[in-house]
Amino acid sequence: MENQPETTVRRHRRIIMFPLPFQGHINPMFQLANLLYSKGFSITILHTNFNAPKTSNYPHFTFKSILDNDPENRRFLLADFAQDFIHTQDHADALRHELKLLASGKDEPVSCLITDALWHFTQSVADSLNLPRLVLRTTSVHSTIVYSSIPLLDARGYFTLDDSHLEEQVVEFPLLKVKDVKKIGIKSSKDPYAELIGNMVKQTKTSSGIIWNSFKELEETELDRVPHDFPVPRFLIPFPKYFKASSSSLLEQDRTIVPWLDQQPTKSVVYVSFGSLSQVEEKEFLEIAHGLVYSKQPFLWVVRMGFIKNSTWLESLPKGFPGERGRVVEWAAQHEVLAHEATGVFWTHSGWNSTLESICEGVPMICSSFWGDQPLDARYMSDVSRVGVYLENGLQREEIASVIRRILVDEEGDEIRERARVLKQKADESVMKGGTSSESVETLVDYISSL
Ligand code: UDP
């Protein structure tokens, strides 16, 4: 046994992972699973039948469906009913049953359970079985800290301030404006979304550790507060630097656009995608379309089925759109697009995966935001990292075109591009031997091995 390589020894230990079934949560969990597998652990993925993962892309993992929560077995990104199942405790019995079976396996001891932070009920199940549970928080450190202060922000009345206060600074988080905090989408700390976040924060604090898809140099200033708010072992790893998210895509990724990208001038294309869940009104949709045309830059726009409220797909677009200069696809191979030399800017909804994927490829951003952590990420990218411009006053065609040209054509763009290049370099260095992320990976592996 002593002379076997470390990975072979560890392959006799299993990690059970349980992602929340949404694209922005599935991708980082699978990236982490691949990373831990590459370090020698066996992996079992527990999943729901709603948005079930494509198991054939992962022949090296074991899969177990534990929650029959969707009678129609849908594999679709968005479902209103799905909001409910995060809130309920009904799944605890199914999970306990499955974990008991898995943990009693003699050949391969189970080291720990790693679940999405929002599956907060899993902590009590893990406790009842004496199984350590680590948490994967799929947002930034910054927004995790803001979320842990929601009761305080509520007590200070921020969520109910009227519109005359929107541009004011939040005293407790001077980086943020009142409108950023209001856009999270919470009305009071008693509404169901706030309760969910409250439970998530509480159960993360009692977990055996927290893993973020991030890196130290990106959120250095936030890290001082973490030991106070989350006094558990902490690990920051920028997953896109280790594994692409494409193999866990729930939708087929359109790769036919790569030859089109190949024909575009270097750093000229606006890549537009608002993630897997956000939706716009038809009026906003048309403003985006006209803004892209007015910008006179080539563009690649991801319009998901269901992106436009009360509309199936593209029927409301003006005749002749997108014309010669643009392409519209239903779902892109985002990593390939961001890594392509023709891509000059990413207009994003500021979901955390998209934000970090852009940073890891050194692509500057135009930041929009809809709800949740997105307004916090957008503010951070524009005012702290300064690798993006925040379109914070809604979607108007003239402003859209002007921001695109500011980044791709004007001198201001050179400065933002340079900062994006430097930040990418920091991410690259962090994963090199001795770098902060590389050390975080090694510490995590040692920690799990010690459990
Ligand atoms: N994504 C993709 N193709 C697309 C748009 C998005 O593969 O056309 C992926 C993207 O790479 C990211 C995830 O979907 O990993 C979206 O996660 P994010 O946190 O950015 O946003 P969410 O969908 O959770 O709002």
Side-chain angles (χ1 to χ4, degrees):
M1 200 68 170
E2 287 121 50
N3 294 331
Q4 283 181 335
E6 208 184 352
T7 50
T8 318
V9 175
R10 261 197 226 110
R11 190 72 77 204
H12 298 296
R13 304 197 64 174
R14 184 164 288 278
I15 299 174
I16 302 171
M17 305 179 83
F18 188 24
L20 197 75
F22 295 99
Q23 189 71 81
H25 295 254
I26 289 171
N27 284 356
M29 187 65 91
F30 275 82
Q31 287 168 305
L32 174 62
N34 271 332
L35 185 57
L36 292 171
Y37 181 84
S38 76
K39 295 290 175 186
F41 294 99
S42 299
I43 303 293
T44 295
I45 304 278
L46 304 180
H47 64 88
T48 58
N49 66 336
F50 165 73
N51 274 344
K54 211 175 185 175
T55 54
S56 56
N57 285 349
Y58 299 92
H60 48 307
F61 295 167
T62 307
F63 287 88
K64 185 82 202 157
S65 173
I66 63 160
L67 298 177
D68 240 8
N69 52 3
D70 177 13
E72 291 167 50
N73 266 330
R74 273 168 294 193
R75 248 176 115 260
F76 186 56
L77 293 170
L78 175 68
D80 289 340
F81 85 94
Q83 300 297 338
D84 298 334
F85 73 71
I86 306 175
H87 292 270
T88 71
Q89 294 285 323
D90 302 349
H91 324 306
D93 286 343
L95 179 71
R96 187 175 293 108
H97 176 73
E98 203 49 55
L99 286 179
K100 248 184 177 166
L101 286 180
L102 287 165
S104 64
K106 298 263 178 312
D107 303 339
E108 229 177 7
V110 174
S111 292
C112 65
L113 171 69
I114 303 181
T115 84
D116 194 284
L118 283 168
W119 283 133
H120 55 81
F121 74 91
T122 60
Q123 186 61 47
S124 61
V125 178
D127 286 345
S128 71
L129 296 169
N130 252 336
L131 188 65
R133 168 188 177 242
L134 275 81
V135 162
L136 172 63
R137 184 63 185 133
T138 60
T139 64
S140 65
V141 175
H142 171 239
S143 63
T144 308
I145 293 169
V146 175
Y147 272 30
S148 74
S149 304
I150 280 174
L152 173 72
L153 295 170
D154 185 34
R156 302 264 160 95
Y158 284 107
F159 299 122
T160 48
L161 283 176
D162 67 45
D163 287 358
S164 63
H165 298 277
L166 291 183
E167 297 297 327
E168 290 171 12
Q169 195 180 45
V170 175
V171 179
E172 295 75 7
F173 291 94
L175 154 68
L176 298 175
K177 293 183 183 179
V178 168
K179 64 180 176 187
D180 303 331
V181 163
K182 286 193 78 165
K183 214 174 179 185
I184 293 174
I186 285 170
K187 291 187 182 59
S188 92
S189 55
K190 294 198 175 43
D191 77 30
Y193 182 34
E195 263 180 38
L196 172 66
I197 292 169
N199 283 327
M200 175 192 76
V201 169
K202 187 171 158 215
Q203 301 303 350
T204 298
K205 287 180 184 189
T206 60
S207 73
S208 298
I210 176 165
I211 304 164
W212 276 285
N213 185 14
S214 188
F215 58 102
K216 182 171 180 247
E217 291 75 6
L218 175 62
E219 303 201 74
E220 195 109 54
T221 46
E222 312 313 311
L223 290 173
D224 292 346
R225 274 188 76 160
V226 178
H228 174 262
D229 288 14
F230 295 94
V232 294
R234 300 164 291 275
F235 310 91
L236 272 78
I237 304 167
F239 301 140
K241 281 281 159 217
Y242 290 91
F243 289 94
K244 293 180 204 162
S246 38
S247 45
S248 51
S249 183
L250 292 167
L251 297 177
E252 205 56 51
Q253 293 183 317
D254 189 325
R255 290 201 157 73
T256 62
I257 27 127
V258 176
W260 176 80
L261 278 173
D262 290 342
Q263 289 164 14
Q264 307 308 315
T266 306
K267 303 214 182 303
S268 68
V269 173
V270 191
Y271 169 56
V272 191
S273 170
F274 294 146
S276 62
L277 296 171
S278 31
Q279 288 186 298
V280 288
E281 301 290 345
E282 188 178 309
K283 189 173 169 299
E284 297 171 300
F285 178 67
L286 292 175
E287 290 302 308
I288 300 172
H290 286 294
L292 289 170
V293 172
Y294 282 13
S295 79
K296 298 195 166 54
Q297 289 296 129
F299 62 87
L300 169 61
W301 184 11
V302 177
V303 181
R304 239 182 37 245
M305 290 275 198
F307 173 58
I308 311 142
K309 286 182 195 160
N310 307 316
S311 174
T312 320
W313 198 39
L314 300 174
E315 57 270 22
S316 53
L317 276 177
K319 251 205 159 118
F321 187 91
E324 276 308 293
R325 213 178 285 121
R327 285 286 180 278
V328 176
V329 295
E330 264 185 70
W331 195 242
Q334 181 155 303
H335 175 263
E336 283 176 50
V337 175
L338 290 172
H340 198 286
E341 58 176 18
T343 303
V345 67
F346 180 12
W347 180 7
T348 170
H349 70 309
S350 306
W352 186 242
N353 292 286
S354 294
T355 302
L356 199 67
E357 287 160 16
S358 204
I359 289 170
C360 286
E361 291 302 332
V363 178
M365 284 168 265
I366 296 170
C367 304
S368 284
S369 69
F370 293 78
W371 55 281
D373 59 322
Q374 298 159 13
L376 313 177
D377 299 339
R379 182 66 64 203
Y380 204 86
M381 288 303 113
S382 84
D383 292 13
V384 180
S385 307
R386 296 170 66 223
V387 293
V389 173
Y390 191 4
L391 260 184
E392 55 187 287
N393 298 315
L395 300 167
Q396 285 115 24
R397 60 189 75 181
E398 290 81 9
E399 200 193 347
I400 291 167
S402 140
V403 167
I404 292 173
R405 294 192 67 77
R406 263 169 66 196
I407 296 189
L408 290 181
V409 184
D410 298 349
E411 246 171 53
E412 185 186 349
D414 293 337
E415 290 167 23
I416 297 180
R417 243 185 312 285
E418 176 56 15
R419 283 194 289 273
R421 188 192 64 74
V422 171
L423 196 54
K424 173 189 187 304
Q425 196 177 332
K426 287 184 182 169
D428 289 340
E429 286 166 6
S430 84
V431 297
M432 286 174 187
K433 198 168 167 35
T436 55
S437 302
S438 161
E439 301 225 311
S440 209
V441 172
E442 294 315 317
T443 317
L444 174 64
V445 168
D446 289 346
Y447 178 60
I448 294 177
S449 304
S450 75
L451 292 172

